[in-house]
Amino acid sequence: MGRPPLVAILAAFNEADIIGAAVEHLVRQGAHLYFLDDGSTDGTVEAVRAAAGEKLIGWESLAGPEEGPVRPFQWSRILERKAVLAASIDAEWFIHQDADEFRESPWPHLS
């Protein structure tokens, strides 16, 4: 794969009900995806893999081995990892994407 023009970096926890539609929308817009799973137990990872297909350039679990099944949400940890990824992945543009977010161009003829 050559250098992707756009990579969405998306983190989620138990978003299986919506994440597939959000990822499919990104792919239709030409985005590639790097996924950070925050310990989902509801099929979120499988939904992302199915929706992204070959546009999924990477994924990882943010849950550490020392953490139990329930832990507090740590926004700074997610943002720090996204910043490291944006600095290390070779792409032209990045989107900081939420699991239930749909982005649309204000110009109907442009994605």
Side-chain angles (χ1 to χ4, degrees), residues 9-75:
I9 303 175
L10 188 153
F13 171 74
N14 286 347
E15 299 276 1
D17 61 335
I18 188 67
I19 200 164
V23 170
E24 287 172 358
H25 180 75
L26 285 167
V27 169
R28 279 194 308 272
Q29 299 295 310
H32 289 74
L33 181 76
Y34 194 101
F35 178 59
L36 302 170
D37 178 54
D38 203 15
S40 298
T41 58
D42 70 343
T44 294
V45 175
E46 294 80 8
V48 168
R49 285 182 174 157
E54 66 183 32
K55 298 288 187 166
L56 182 64
I57 63 169
W59 82 274
E60 61 190 71
S61 174
L62 291 174
E66 72 284 349
E67 297 172 314
V70 178
R71 66 186 185 291
F73 176 69
Q74 297 173 331
W75 188 231

Side-chain angles (χ1 to χ4, degrees), residues 77-98:
R77 175 176 56 107
I78 293 168
L79 292 177
E80 287 169 6
R81 182 62 186 141
K82 284 187 171 192
V84 168
L85 287 167
S88 63
I89 296 171
D90 185 25
E92 293 181 34
W93 292 90
F94 293 94
I95 294 176
H96 163 71
Q97 179 77 24
D98 289 333

